[in-house]
Amino acid sequence: MYITCLDMEGVISPEIWIEFSKVSGIPELSRTTRDEPDYDKLMKWRIGILKEHGLTLKDIQDTIAKIDPLPGAKEFLDELRSCCQTVVLSDTFEEFAGPILKKLGQPVIFCNSLKVDEKGFIVEHKMRCQQSKLTTVKALQSIGFETIAFGDSYNDLGMIQASKAGFLFRTTDKIKNDFPNIPAFTEYDDLLNAIKKELGK
């Protein structure tokens, strides 16, 4: 039995931090896991910038409420979910993901959470587990699933390489060049066809 695991931001939704960077006018916040492989380091840096500028969780949530999925993402996800079990594995947070997932038909997501102080400032990020995407894929494999995984960033590589089949989607030239053995796609139809081929459909 197969289960497909996919990243969220950059794959089926815009990058939340990039969108918030535009709205807030703080270009530093556009840095993502495409640029910084160490997610813990990246989040601590982001939290520091938010505090420096007096920005709260609600400020970010107000931006997220206006974000739509990437064009074609819902149709792609609907078709994928009709072919096999599907779960979104993301390093985003429960406090961020809800409005976007609602627009995508409420797919299952495993993500992380935030600790917020009494004034609404983010003070800490809480990871569900270490190397959450790779750990989750291995756990699914341990209970009898074959996994197919795809994503766009450094933090997706573990789950992609550990899966029976793995793909890059709309990634950077640097990641494609560093990992030329991983098939890379830019269009949903091409990615879906590759997944269906792996599923024998």
Side-chain angles (χ1 to χ4, degrees), residues 59-102:
D59 293 318
I60 302 173
Q61 288 174 327
D62 287 346
T63 296
I64 294 169
K66 299 170 187 172
I67 295 176
D68 288 324
L70 292 172
K74 184 175 187 303
E75 294 79 7
F76 163 76
L77 198 54
D78 287 346
E79 180 68 17
L80 180 62
R81 292 165 75 189
S82 75
C83 296
C84 66
Q85 297 295 317
T86 303
V87 60
V88 179
L89 302 184
S90 176
D91 280 338
T92 192
F93 306 97
E94 294 173 350
E95 296 83 356
F96 285 8
I100 296 172
L101 294 177
K102 188 173 181 180

Side-chain angles (χ1 to χ4, degrees), residues 11 148-153 156-157 159-173 175-187 190-195 197-198:
V11 175
I148 297 171
F150 59 94
D152 68 329
S153 297
D156 299 314
L157 291 168
M159 70 171 179
I160 289 170
Q161 292 172 318
S163 292
K164 184 168 183 184
F167 309 103
L168 291 165
F169 186 69
R170 296 182 181 172
T171 190
T172 64
D173 287 338
I175 293 176
K176 281 194 286 190
N177 291 335
D178 287 347
F179 299 89
N181 58 316
I182 303 175
F185 300 101
T186 58
E187 300 299 326
D190 296 333
L191 176 59
L192 190 60
N193 287 336
I195 294 169
K197 184 177 179 181
E198 190 63 35

